[in-house]
Amino acid sequence: MNTKNEIEEQKQYIQKIKEINQVQKPKYSIFTMGCQLNENDSEKICGMLEEMEYKKVENFKDADLVIFNTCCVRENAEDKLFGKLGELKKIKEEKGTIIAIGGCMMQEKHITDKIKESYPFVDLLFGTHTLHKLPEDLYNVLDQKHKQEDIIDIEGKIYEGLPIKRDSNIKASVTIMNGCNNFCSYCIVPYVRGRERSREPKDIIEEVKELAKNGYKEITLLGQNVNSYLRVEREKNIPFEEYQGVNSFATLLYAINKIEGIERIRFISPHPKDFTDDVIKAIRECDKVCKLVHLPLQAGSTKVLKDMNRKYTKEQYLHLVKKMKEEIPNLTLSTDIIVGFPGETDEDFKDTLDVIEKVGYEQVYMFIYSRRVGTPGDKMENQIPDDIKHKRFDRLKQLVENKIYENNQNYIGTTQKILVEGKSKNNEHTLTGRTDSNKVVIFEGNDSLIGKMISIKILSQHMWYLKGEII
Ligand code: 5AD
Ligand code: SF4
């Protein structure tokens, strides 16, 4: 069956559940862990559920159906899931809540084994390659009243046409590719999300056009490795249809830049090794593409980078940064860092600090290395003791905070273009928006500005946000 027919079949299950739900209008609650790709998947889960006439509630105690969309990039997500399942046991006993768990963690056998053994009351387990089958799986739970497991270990296909309920009506994420072929030695993603495959250019462009028509202003293009969009297809002669000249990530940027109504384009995450000149040129030439580039470093030491299988050296990374800064006016950068990868010495760690000093990032996302079952990193013998990992993490955090403080000072007195996103969380008299460089800015203003691009003069900085006034 082709993917279009598979989706049609699922739409019939949506109708069947809708009929069951019409009287009761049951409620659902969803927990999303992890990255923006998972958040985008959750928007699709919500889209399917709302078509089935489920109504969303925040508190899982009020829900008839609780769904977890899990992440397995680091260990703490597992602790969180098991904690929540513990809480749900009693609630399920009282009111028969249906519990479904999906996402990356479900592609790990040791986790699903543990759930089946220790939390046998869970009704449905589904994986990353079977998200589109949620209607059928859920129907089987409701109809047959027994547990379902729908997890397959394949390369995965691209499914178009799933309903979607987006979290915002100003900013939208658009997944452009799934999976990863890089096998960084610490990372579980290639094992749970399968091989790289790109969406057809036409499907992406049509989706963005539709978003623009519906008033969306900012688009974030998502993928585990966005700058290798369509590369596997080109290299292996896997057929795809060129549309509006799109046959690479750079050409995709140009095409989306032309879509009227869209004011900002962001993308995460690119891989430094694939940062080709055409992408740098596209970022410079496309006025809507934000000049903040997330460029994951992971570690500063060439030796650690080699062990991580990152395929670039410290010098190559710094050279790329230099070239990008020269070629893209007003470029800002953010990055990901892992501390405590196996074999990392104090000298290696100093290389990480050195790169942070030299590059001057806008934002640094810092992680303590977490052993992932099945990855090469987990089998390495020279694991770093926890206390050293934590000491290095604290030292890194201190440096990063100092640098961010210094960097924020440079904003004071400048005028920034802001996309106004809504009221501030903690003060309903102020609005919040973001700069091109993704800094949060808080200012006083009228609600009618929400969704608009405006100019703000920055008055003060507060570490994680800036304050300003409309000019
Ligand atoms: N331990 C710690 N951090 C990790 N990341 C990926 N795998 C691990 C791991 N095993 C981080 C990387 C990646 C980000 C999304 O998560 O920095 O870029
Ligand atoms: Fe993981 Fe590396 Fe792929 Fe990113 S590029 S998802 S870190 S394997």
Side-chain angles (χ1 to χ4, degrees), residues 276-335:
T276 44
D277 289 347
D278 58 337
V279 177
I280 296 178
K281 190 162 169 257
I283 298 171
R284 182 182 67 227
E285 291 183 347
C286 294
D287 55 330
K288 296 176 185 173
V289 173
C290 291
K291 305 310 177 211
L292 168 74
V293 175
H294 185 65
L295 199 62
L297 169 68
Q298 311 299 1
S301 142
T302 294
K303 187 200 94 202
V304 174
L305 286 168
K306 187 159 191 299
D307 293 343
M308 285 179 162
N309 194 29
R310 289 291 291 175
K311 302 190 178 85
Y312 52 84
T313 62
K314 175 183 179 186
E315 289 68 31
Q316 282 167 333
Y317 182 95
L318 286 171
H319 182 259
L320 174 64
V321 167
K322 184 165 171 277
K323 181 159 84 173
M324 288 171 70
K325 282 183 174 173
E326 279 165 9
E327 297 195 10
I328 307 170
N330 301 320
L331 179 80
T332 55
L333 292 158
S334 61
T335 200

Side-chain angles (χ1 to χ4, degrees), residues 73-74 186-187 296 298 336-338 367-370 372:
V73 165
R74 287 171 294 273
Y186 49 82
C187 186
Q298 311 299 1
D336 289 344
I337 300 286
I338 298 175
F367 307 105
I368 291 177
Y369 172 66
S370 171
R372 305 287 72 206

Side-chain angles (χ1 to χ4, degrees), residues 21 45 66 82 178 223 244 268 286 313 352 371-372 386 396 408 416 468:
N21 286 351
I45 294 176
V66 177
F82 296 137
N178 290 329
Q244 297 186 355
I268 44 170
C286 294
T313 62
T352 298
R371 293 174 79 161
R372 305 287 72 206
D386 275 353
L396 174 68
N408 281 354
Q416 299 287 325

Side-chain angles (χ1 to χ4, degrees), residues 32 37 60 81 86 92-93 95 125 146 168 178 201-202 210 238 308 361 400 425 440 447 466:
T32 307
L37 278 152
F60 62 83
L81 173 69
K92 178 162 181 114
E93 279 164 9
K95 55 179 281 187
L125 302 179
H146 71 74
S168 151
N178 290 329
K202 184 168 188 231
E210 188 63 26
I238 298 170
M308 285 179 162
Y361 294 101
V400 166
K425 265 197 197 121
V440 174
D447 287 5
L466 306 169

Side-chain angles (χ1 to χ4, degrees), residues 17 38 43 51 81 122 147 150 189 199 203 214 243 248 280 287 303 309 331 347 352 396 403:
I17 300 185
N38 249 21
E43 291 181 329
E51 287 215 350
L81 173 69
V122 173
K147 284 185 264 181
D150 191 2
V189 168
R199 284 178 73 195
D203 292 326
N214 291 328
Y243 183 74
S248 64
I280 296 178
D287 55 330
K303 187 200 94 202
N309 194 29
L331 179 80
E347 279 309 303
T352 298
L396 174 68
K403 297 292 285 183

Side-chain angles (χ1 to χ4, degrees), residues 112 203 333 366 374 433 454 462:
T112 50
D203 292 326
L333 292 158
M366 298 167 272
I454 60 167
H462 307 263

